[in-house]
Amino acid sequence: MQKIIFGLFTFFLFGFAKAQTVKVLVADKKISMRGLSVVNDKVIWVSGSEGAVGRSIDSGTTWKWITVKGFEKTDFRDIEAFDGMTAVIMGIADPAYILKTVDGGDSWKVVYENKTKGMFLDAMHFWNEMSGIVIGDPIDDKIFIARTFDGGTTWESIPPQYFPVAEKGEACFASSGTNIVALNLSEAVFVTGGLRSRMFIRNDKFEMPILQGKESTGANSVAVKNIKKKPTIIVVGGDFTTKDSTTKNCCITTDGGKTFTVPDIAPHGYRSCVEYLQKKNWLSCGLNGVDYSTNDGKTWTWISKESFHVCKKAKKGKAVFFAGNGKIGKLVQ
């Protein structure tokens, strides 16, 4: 009887994951999209290369495409949207910029500029509509961090003496805008890659069982479940030059980084983004497809071989969207 019950339970989990798939909504854009913000089930924003920003207010059925004037060559690798009219975009480097729109993308204001040699912004995250953070690659072995407390209208770097110290060859990946995320209502957790791959929480740094040792290896994305309680944290990555490898591409901690476990069945390749959905359900995507977990990351099911850089669940809603090289997708059942 126990074997029968276990078999039925396993079948249910497998069947649930298999029922999920990805519908491609846009497939013909000549840009790479790594920025994605899903405000609710109807309002979605994306950002990417060649100064591109896209917005949909009808659940991804139709899109308004914008090339930000004066930034036609800028790679906007992250975006945070607050409604159908207001959004903040992050231009990574040469120089690094943050811009804001309040009119649906018709006009943009430069709200932050940094011409420091070597400056390269990786990701933004907002706790709410006012409080946000941006993280950048190390300069002089110190990881750059700036904060906003007015919805991205103004930004200030934290005092340099409080910049986290990186080791040689350690940096952050600007692969999906998700290597930093809220840990609780006031703090963030971020992950690094390269020659070293670590998790940073406050002043603590934790080694992770994630592939490391080369410029192309390490943690790419982190997501958190239960920020008001004891959090479950899942990290994904790998080596973006070996998209099909499952070696050390995912790890899980439930005690704030003190210990880590690895999945019994890992995501099926390098993964650039992980997202918590609901209950024990998580999603991860990368160059060779999309994986779904129904048991807090213990096992992952390959539900689509469509390539995407980033996946996000609606901040106010249930819809889940993807963005990648030239295309946008939606999770469907």
Side-chain angles (χ1 to χ4, degrees), residues 231-298:
T232 295
I233 305 173
I234 295 184
V235 178
V236 299
D239 186 342
F240 64 76
T241 66
T242 55
K243 62 184 178 68
D244 296 319
S245 174
T246 61
T247 301
K248 294 184 178 181
N249 66 349
C250 179
C251 63
I252 307 155
T253 180
T254 58
D255 57 10
K258 295 177 183 177
T259 62
F260 288 89
T261 59
V262 297
D264 295 329
I265 300 176
H268 291 75
Y270 156 79
R271 293 292 175 258
S272 56
C273 187
V274 62
E275 178 79 336
Y276 172 64
L277 302 181
Q278 62 174 343
K279 297 180 180 179
K280 294 186 177 183
N281 300 337
W282 300 70
L283 193 66
S284 186
C285 66
L287 296 176
N288 74 349
V290 178
D291 280 280
Y292 199 102
S293 175
T294 59
N295 52 15
D296 281 335
K298 293 182 178 65

Side-chain angles (χ1 to χ4, degrees), residues 138-326:
I139 297 178
D140 296 327
D141 298 323
K142 292 185 177 180
I143 296 170
F144 176 80
I145 292 176
R147 293 293 313 271
T148 180
F149 298 97
D150 57 8
T153 300
T154 61
W155 295 80
E156 293 288 342
S157 68
I158 67 173
Q161 62 267 31
Y162 297 119
F163 286 165
V165 177
E167 296 194 4
K168 184 178 180 180
E170 182 178 22
C172 300
F173 286 109
S175 52
S176 61
T178 59
N179 59 17
I180 187 167
V181 69
L183 175 65
N184 52 43
L185 296 179
S186 61
E187 298 174 305
V189 53
F190 69 90
V191 292
T192 60
L195 302 188
R196 293 291 300 276
S197 189
R198 296 186 292 174
M199 176 180 290
F200 287 67
I201 299 176
R202 295 180 290 274
N203 295 321
D204 297 320
K205 305 167 188 177
F206 301 99
E207 293 286 341
M208 298 182 293
I210 288 284
L211 192 65
Q212 55 190 294
K214 299 193 301 182
E215 290 185 356
S216 58
T217 60
N220 279 237
S221 178
V222 57
V224 176
K225 168 186 174 180
N226 291 336
I227 65 172
K228 294 182 180 180
K229 301 177 182 179
K230 181 180 178 181
T232 295
I233 305 173
I234 295 184
V235 178
V236 299
D239 186 342
F240 64 76
T241 66
T242 55
K243 62 184 178 68
D244 296 319
S245 174
T246 61
T247 301
K248 294 184 178 181
N249 66 349
C250 179
C251 63
I252 307 155
T253 180
T254 58
D255 57 10
K258 295 177 183 177
T259 62
F260 288 89
T261 59
V262 297
D264 295 329
I265 300 176
H268 291 75
Y270 156 79
R271 293 292 175 258
S272 56
C273 187
V274 62
E275 178 79 336
Y276 172 64
L277 302 181
Q278 62 174 343
K279 297 180 180 179
K280 294 186 177 183
N281 300 337
W282 300 70
L283 193 66
S284 186
C285 66
L287 296 176
N288 74 349
V290 178
D291 280 280
Y292 199 102
S293 175
T294 59
N295 52 15
D296 281 335
K298 293 182 178 65
T299 61
W300 295 82
T301 300
W302 204 356
I303 64 168
S304 171
K305 294 187 179 181
E306 292 285 350
S307 172
F308 294 102
H309 294 309
V310 58
C311 52
K312 288 285 184 71
K313 178 180 179 292
K315 290 184 280 189
K316 298 178 181 179
K318 296 181 179 180
V320 179
F321 289 86
F322 304 80
N325 288 336

